[in-house]
Amino acid sequence: MRTTEGRWLRLTVLGIVSAGLVLPILAGLWETARAAFGFLPAIGADALSLDPWRRLWALPGVTTSLWLTLWTGFASTLLALAIATGFCAAVHGRMSAGRSARLLTPFLATPHAALAIGITFLIAPSGWIARMLSPWATGWDLPPDLATVRDPYGIALILGLLIKEVPFFLLVMLSALSQVPVRAHLAAGRALGYGRGVVWIKVIAPQVYPLIRLPIFVVLSFALSMVDMAIILGPSNPPTLAVAITRWFFAADTMLILPASAAALTQTALVAGGILLWVGAERAAILAGRFWIRRGGRGLSSGPGLAVAVAGAGFLMALGTAALLALLIWSVTWRWPFPDTLPESWSLGAWARPAMGWGMALKQTLIIGIATTVLSLTLAIAWLEGEDRAGMSRARWAEGLIYLPLLVPQVAFLYGLSVTFLRAGVTGGMMAVIWGQALFVFPYVMIALSDPWRAVDRRMVRAAAALGAGPWRRLFAVKLPVLLAPVLTATAIGFAVSVAQYLPTLFLGAGRIATLTTEAVTLSSGSDRRVTGVYAVLQATLPFAAYGAALMLPAALLRHRRGLAGAVA
Amino acid sequence: MRLPLIALLAAGLAAPALADNWDDTLAAARGQTVFWNAWGGDERTNDFIAWASGELEAQYGVTIQQVKLSDTAEAVTRVIAEKAAGQTGGGSVDLIWINGANFLSMKEQGLLHGPFLADLPNSKYLDLSDDSAAIVDFTIPTEGYESPWRLAKFVLTHDSARVPEPPRSMAAFLDWAKANPGRFTHPAVSNFMGATFLKQALIELTPDVSVLQSEATDAVFSAATEPLWAWYDALRPNLWRGGTAFPENESVLQQMLNDGEVDFAMAFDPAAAAAAVERGLLPDTVRSYAPEGGSIGNISFVAIPFNAAHKEGAMVVANFLLDPATQAHAQDITVLGSYSVLDPAKLDDAAKAAFAALPTSPALPSNEALGPTLNEPHPSWMTRIAGEWAKRYTK
């Protein structure tokens, strides 16, 4: 009886996920593939041909775009992983997990676009850093002709990605470390004469790595195909492949949609190839690692490496903080000429007129964010509860299903998806955007909620069952209250992911749905930093407030249930 | 003898018919929300459109919802996607701010509604004679598929405190850039402003300007552009960042002028600098001017897609934009500062007075400083120049 019910719930959830999540992605890929091989009747293309591919490879700069993409994607992922590992090794045990999480929150919460806009102003030759140092230290009365942002090598882009990825890896690692007896390993290792860093690399990292492997793939895929940050920080002539594809899709010459589709497939191949390459490197690292471990070096000199990692992480966080502060200052500026350290004159003008755009964008962002998060959270809880009731753990393919939207590059299927949606009559704009964003919000909510859900003490649930509580009462009266903190955290993460979505909103909203993110990216190509500042500040504040609420609410709600609050924290 | 009579009859018949139609249009438009797809990178324009929405709501019960584009082609792509999905009515785009290549592309693929310009009562204030700029978009006859709304003219902007005597021709610019390396650049050529800068240079440098008025062919193109590339090859190493990177558009370039990263900005709107000074976005010492041989000018248009859901509302908006009071408001540098598209000879005294009463600014160039207006080359030149530039300078 119970198993049947569990099976039904599981099947329903699986059906919804397949129809709502997987099918749209496949349909989108299908439309993109058709256009890549010459089928797009709307612009008069109706014959199978390889012409789009020929046109793609003849486009100027396409090879450079490809190399840039690989370079920035791999460099940022590898560096972020190294810095996060080093930082974790140096700091773990000296700082509580709760405190580290609070420290990381602002960087996880800030959408890529907002951060990128802040960084641009910070490190540009005419930026805040140069203004603070000029002219007294540098002698610059005018900004120097240096390529510190949008540089042809993508250094600024890598820096921007690091500020987002290092905290993400840290959080994932902290969560994974809770499943590894770190203290015991460390004590044993030190007793055998190994340095702290070496114990981490030789003993702890191999245990942690399998737990953070999928998140690494997500980061790699994201770094290889992200658009909004690359538009703002990345090289422009030529840009990274994903940016180039977005430009071609929206180019004046509409025939470019065909090579753009071919490029979108190339992007998918690039990500798949990137992951394969990574897996290959894993194998090599395993072989090399075994040899290295057996050699048994004590490696007492790992100290400097750790110090570099800590300094790197600190530097990134300082940069991120300054970037957000710069945005805030710009939003209340009237004139701020070079080389003044602070604005010459201040004004609340940009904030004073919500009717001129930001009020509307704020409202849309909130509506979409709340709808998407509630939808994804309901689905995630139903999925996890289904697993519980059926008494089955998750199959690998189901895990793959969850990660699919995060691994397939967005540009590869979003154009095709918007055509599919139009054909299906889903042109409501708002509905389509909520759906499109849920494709990316659901996986993150699911990832955030899965581990805490499995960690719930089964004895409590069984005790409730023994006292005669039915499955729904066990869910609402026992599990969800116990899981209050993780559920709220997952909600905050889902909301933050929704606020940051750029491409789904752009493609599926038919441009009609203006959110803080789409407006901020559009305005970043305008001349008024003060207005851009307002959007970016709001964009960063919303998820921050959500995280704040997720941290504060459990304490307030569970004021009189200290045992539960203790169990949660 | 019979011709004038017929014309008279036709005019007599047409006038009341037009009035009826327009009343019908107004009635149908009431309550509609017009999705106007317009470039959203300029806050002044966005504010102006929001103002227009309020006025239209009060006068005709029509509101505008601006769809802010970062590139006009986004809207074109959207209409194509809708056509691909078989959506021939109820489309998501009602009105597009459009020009040149995008207009040609939509017109050729039958994606436009019209002709509708003659149905707009305020089109009587336009100069619609054969060689008027109001009926040609980058040499493409608009044939009533587009309605003008603002005037554009290429100008250069400089900070007179840093560069008191700016170069006034493309040849002089080369000398100036050599003497001041890294202090001049232009927007990326994939952007229309960057391409316009190259077209302006092409008009000054090409041996025979007349070929630019017809479609560019392989043979004509290479001969006509050879001096341009020679000039550009000499200029490029002296550009900002050695000519390896370019600002995205004119707004970013203007911000760079404000930050002191470069000494020149450029605009397709002679009042852009004056308006930016007004809004604290440029120093007071900024001035605008046109090259001494004259500069490229054109008119910005609005068009209605074939499947627009609110065609009547879109027409009411287009008509409102041609109202002399609207045009005078738009020309105010504290508002938009874009020059009027109307024919001054067709305005009545009250309308003329409204224009005369507008505020002035030292950053606003006089008509003499603007010099003669040069015709836009055929759009094929822009496409080819952008393509050739990308081929030569994108590695």
Side-chain angles (χ1 to χ4, degrees), chain A residues 42-43 64 126 131 143 145-146 149 237 249-251 254 334-335 338 353 510-512 519 525 527 529-530, chain B residues 47 67-68 73 77-78 80 84 87 92 109 182 241 248-249 251 255 258-261 279-280 282 394-395:
Chain A
I43 55 171
T64 317
S126 60
R131 287 178 201 224
D145 187 9
L146 296 171
V149 266
N237 189 42
F249 267 127
F250 291 121
T254 48
W334 178 249
R335 264 198 71 68
F338 192 86
R353 300 174 312 149
R512 278 185 184 188
E519 295 286 275
S525 71
S527 63
R529 255 192 217 120
R530 306 166 305 187
Chain B
D47 288 356
V67 177
K68 290 174 191 159
T77 311
R78 210 159 283 143
I80 290 172
Q87 197 180 9
S92 67
Q109 295 182 42
R241 293 191 188 169
E248 251 171 283
N249 56 41
S251 301
Q255 192 176 295
N258 190 32
D259 288 342
E261 289 210 29
R279 294 170 61 93
L282 281 176
T394 305
K395 288 294 175 294

Side-chain angles (χ1 to χ4, degrees), chain B residues 202-243:
Chain B
L202 176 68
I203 292 176
E204 283 189 38
L205 300 168
T206 196
D208 177 12
V209 185
S210 65
V211 299
L212 305 181
Q213 288 302 306
S214 43
E215 192 163 349
T217 59
D218 290 341
V220 179
F221 182 78
S222 58
T225 56
E226 204 176 312
L228 173 72
W229 303 124
W231 168 83
Y232 194 78
D233 280 334
L235 177 71
R236 198 170 80 100
N238 299 302
L239 294 178
W240 175 77
R241 293 191 188 169

Side-chain angles (χ1 to χ4, degrees), chain B residues 152-191:
Chain B
K153 196 166 167 168
F154 176 81
V155 287
L156 288 153
T157 299
H158 67 108
D159 185 347
S160 59
R162 290 205 297 269
V163 186
E165 277 306 316
R168 290 179 188 277
S169 71
M170 291 301 162
F173 250 108
L174 179 55
D175 296 335
W176 188 89
K178 279 180 177 164
N180 303 276
R183 302 298 303 167
F184 177 73
T185 191
H186 57 80
V189 177
S190 55
N191 176 266

Side-chain angles (χ1 to χ4, degrees), chain A residues 293-315:
Chain A
I293 288 171
R294 282 181 192 142
R295 231 187 45 188
R298 295 292 187 274
L300 284 166
S301 59
S302 67
L306 294 188
V308 168
V310 172
F315 170 72

